Amino acid sequence: MQNTFEVAIIGAGFGGLGMAINLKKAGRESLVLLEKADDVGGCWRENSYPGAACDVPSYLYSYSFERKPDWSRRFAPQAEIFDYLRHCARKYDLYRHIRFGTEVAGARFDETAGLWRIETHGGETVSARYLITATGQLNRPAIPHLPGIDHFQGPAFHSAQWRHDLDLTGKKVAVIGTGASAIQFVPAIAPQVSRLTLFQRSAPYVIPKADRPYTRLEKALIARSPLLQKISRGGIYSLYETRVLGFTALQQILTLYTRKARSLMHRHIKDPVLRRKLTPDYPIGCKRVLISNDYYPALARDNVEVIDTGIECITATGVRTRDGAEHPAEVLIYGTGFQATEFLSPMQITGRDGIELNQAWRDGAEAYLGITVHGFPNLFMLYGPNTNLGHSSIVYMLESQIQYVMDSLRTMDERNARSLEVHEASQQVFNLALQQQIRNTVWDKGCTSWYKTDSGKNTNNWPGFTFRYRQLTRRINPDDYHFTAR
């Protein structure tokens, strides 16, 4: 089996597949994708919980080079996105490049050979000139550190590890967490369980979801007109792009969304005590704004209770809150999100002179343009630090990053270079400016969120327009890099 390649990609989700497709289009066939699971899809393979769907419109949440004219509805469900990614892998002949069931334990840059030595948990070593990580920011479930968590006697699982073999009908279910996943699966399971107790640490802002099925006529028109496809995608992009102003320069715009959220809640929640529980105590946008039409109606059901008292511990038969109350449960579901700020963990990435990435990032992850890191030659990240969005499609950002990587490889070929490494000064200047920009956003208004490390550094979000990011990543600036000759 071949174990030396020009390019090794870790992950076969949107980023990894898109990167591989562009490499193949450029004639770079010496590539391998290392995927820990048994199929492509990334988070859309793993998050198969009831009600799972995208919160970005379908036409924008897809590759620009592989448009899908027959999306079933405005916001595609999980299964449809998963099928789309498998279609892309088949169409572009990627499966023969993918090694499934191959989880990467770590990678070390061999300075003598100018290669990355990638170690898998299976004991295999794969070597590559370029290492591209496409592991995403939302790929490692976060389980809260609660006393007694191992004492619970019933089934317990994270929403990203849904137990489809478990029938919840008639069960008493406790759900911990009220994030983007919970607002989708809670309405889906509430009608079938006997009792659902939802434990909320902080109330989210929820606004209406402008979702509906596409008509047969709409799909037919889109399918017959590539121009209409382009116009539709461009219109959605332009509309969503303006929303970044609410998070950044014109935060007063968010007042409109605060009103929408309150109106939606008041329309469905009549109990004043429950309304109080569901009213956020922080500015809208400081945490992720959620979209749903059925979350509040689900919480208003007679068999659903929202608990905002802190959890003291997990018991063998349920959850005990800090007020001493016992809340019985037969099934425990964690809707507690992901370890979003721990980029590339738990892999051990070792660069030049033996420096470990975890050590380089001891004060919080950062990279130049979210893609390259000083001390780590020929390493590129997709969906790296500070490239997440609160207003648009991450696929657009990924395509910008892919273009940057492709231009970097072309530049390396033109210079006959062995390696490239971003200058420390370029990385520092970029990130100092970026963090200063973040301090003027709504994300820095005092709330805690998955955007931030425990120390308060925002390592996740891009604080500007996505078209500005595309401008910055359209071409590599050779002055930002040190090139080593062959």
Side-chain angles (χ1 to χ4, degrees):
M1 179 184 291
Q2 180 184 354
N3 277 317
T4 301
F5 302 86
E6 181 188 28
V7 181
I9 302 169
I10 305 176
F14 259 110
L17 296 180
M19 187 75 249
I21 291 168
N22 278 268
L23 287 167
K24 285 174 66 69
K25 284 183 174 181
R28 296 181 183 270
E29 291 278 346
S30 178
L31 64 98
V32 63
L33 290 92
L34 307 174
E35 170 55 55
K36 65 181 180 180
D38 59 359
D39 204 348
V40 301
C43 67
W44 294 107
R45 176 196 62 244
E46 297 183 5
N47 286 275
S48 60
Y49 55 80
C54 194
D55 57 5
V56 174
S58 309
Y59 288 128
L60 190 57
Y61 200 81
S62 51
Y63 298 123
S64 63
F65 56 81
E66 186 61 30
R67 298 192 183 111
K68 175 178 164 63
D70 60 344
W71 289 108
S72 64
R73 53 192 310 120
R74 288 197 66 192
F75 293 86
Q78 171 266 339
E80 196 169 2
I81 300 173
F82 186 23
D83 285 344
Y84 168 78
L85 288 170
R86 287 187 289 190
H87 155 78
C88 291
R90 289 191 301 269
K91 177 176 178 178
Y92 292 96
D93 190 26
L94 297 186
Y95 277 104
R96 66 185 176 90
H97 297 282
I98 305 173
R99 295 188 185 179
F100 292 112
T102 304
E103 184 172 2
V104 173
R108 177 180 293 271
F109 186 68
D110 183 336
E111 297 177 53
T112 302
L115 296 172
W116 279 96
R117 308 294 189 186
I118 305 153
E119 301 290 335
T120 73
H121 281 288
E124 182 184 12
T125 299
V126 176
S127 299
R129 186 181 180 196
Y130 303 109
L131 176 60
I132 302 173
T133 64
T135 55
Q137 295 185 9
L138 308 176
N139 70 322
R140 295 181 62 219
I143 303 294
H145 300 292
L146 296 171
I149 195 169
D150 295 326
H151 297 164
F152 186 69
Q153 294 180 349
F157 55 90
H158 191 277
S159 60
Q161 299 160 334
W162 196 267
R163 287 279 306 276
H164 290 283
D165 62 325
L166 183 64
D167 185 4
L168 298 178
T169 303
K171 295 284 197 303
K172 293 178 182 176
V173 177
V175 174
I176 297 177
T178 54
S181 299
I183 70 154
Q184 293 186 335
F185 73 74
V186 164
I189 68 173
Q192 68 183 102
V193 304
S194 65
R195 186 75 181 168
L196 192 153
T197 308
L198 179 63
F199 294 87
Q200 171 187 276
R201 185 170 59 178
S202 65
Y205 281 95
V206 182
I207 60 176
K209 188 174 187 178
D211 193 19
R212 64 171 178 80
Y214 283 115
T215 67
R216 186 177 300 178
L217 176 60
E218 286 174 316
K219 288 189 280 189
L221 290 173
I222 288 289
R224 293 173 185 172
S225 173
L227 178 60
L228 189 57
Q229 292 180 35
K230 189 173 182 178
I231 291 173
S232 177
R233 183 182 176 98
I236 295 170
Y237 170 79
S238 299
L239 174 63
Y240 272 66
E241 191 71 353
T242 61
R243 297 186 177 188
V244 73
L245 294 171
F247 297 108
T248 56
L250 298 174
Q251 294 174 31
Q252 58 269 32
I253 293 175
L254 291 176
T255 302
L256 172 63
Y257 291 96
T258 302
R259 290 178 185 149
K260 283 186 176 183
R262 288 176 179 168
S263 175
L264 183 67
M265 180 175 63
H266 282 239
R267 188 183 317 149
H268 298 290
I269 305 298
K270 304 304 179 184
D271 179 1
V273 175
L274 183 55
R275 279 185 183 176
R276 179 191 58 77
K277 291 180 180 180
L278 299 178
T279 300
D281 60 359
Y282 54 89
I284 190 169
C286 190
K287 297 185 180 186
R288 184 175 178 179
V289 179
L290 308 179
I291 58 173
S292 174
N293 297 325
D294 49 12
Y295 181 63
Y296 287 141
L299 301 190
R301 292 177 59 92
D302 291 339
N303 68 327
V304 176
E305 182 180 12
V306 177
I307 304 295
D308 63 351
T309 307
I311 295 175
E312 178 182 306
C313 65
I314 305 297
T315 68
T317 58
V319 180
R320 181 185 303 146
T321 46
R322 291 173 186 164
D323 58 1
E326 298 278 351
H327 304 275
E330 298 169 272
V331 179
L332 183 57
I333 304 175
Y334 294 102
T336 44
F338 301 86
Q339 300 174 50
T341 61
E342 298 181 13
F343 295 85
L344 304 190
S345 292
M347 295 184 291
Q348 297 293 316
I349 309 296
T350 306
R352 177 178 47 77
D353 298 330
I355 184 173
E356 291 193 356
L357 193 56
N358 289 334
Q359 178 63 19
W361 283 350
R362 60 190 178 275
D363 297 324
E366 66 173 45
Y368 181 64
L369 296 170
I371 301 172
T372 55
V373 182
H374 176 69
F376 297 82
N378 293 2
L379 172 68
F380 302 92
M381 287 180 290
L382 305 181
Y383 203 2
N386 294 110
T387 62
N388 182 63
L389 300 174
H391 69 285
S392 190
S393 171
I394 190 59
V395 181
Y396 183 91
M397 294 290 277
L398 286 170
E399 290 198 36
S400 298
Q401 293 156 17
I402 289 167
Q403 165 62 29
Y404 188 83
V405 175
M406 294 301 297
D407 194 56
S408 298
L409 302 193
R410 283 192 294 268
T411 303
M412 291 277 287
D413 291 344
E414 291 168 0
R415 290 174 173 243
N416 196 29
R418 184 184 194 184
S419 66
L420 87 168
E421 178 185 338
V422 66
H423 291 306
E424 184 175 18
S426 297
Q427 181 175 317
Q428 287 182 343
V429 169
F430 171 79
N431 280 282
L432 284 171
L434 182 142
Q435 289 298 323
Q436 179 59 47
Q437 193 174 353
I438 286 176
R439 280 193 282 274
N440 296 319
T441 69
V442 70
W443 305 313
D444 201 45
K445 295 302 181 183
C447 69
T448 58
S449 72
W450 61 264
Y451 304 146
K452 299 179 180 180
T453 63
D454 291 340
S455 65
K457 181 179 179 179
N458 189 319
T459 60
N460 289 67
N461 286 1
W462 173 250
F465 292 106
T466 62
F467 64 74
R468 175 56 180 157
Y469 184 80
R470 178 153 293 188
Q471 289 173 342
L472 293 172
T473 54
R474 192 172 299 279
R475 294 284 184 272
I476 181 177
N477 180 359
D479 292 340
D480 289 323
Y481 288 88
H482 170 71
F483 293 85
T484 302
R486 286 184 185 271

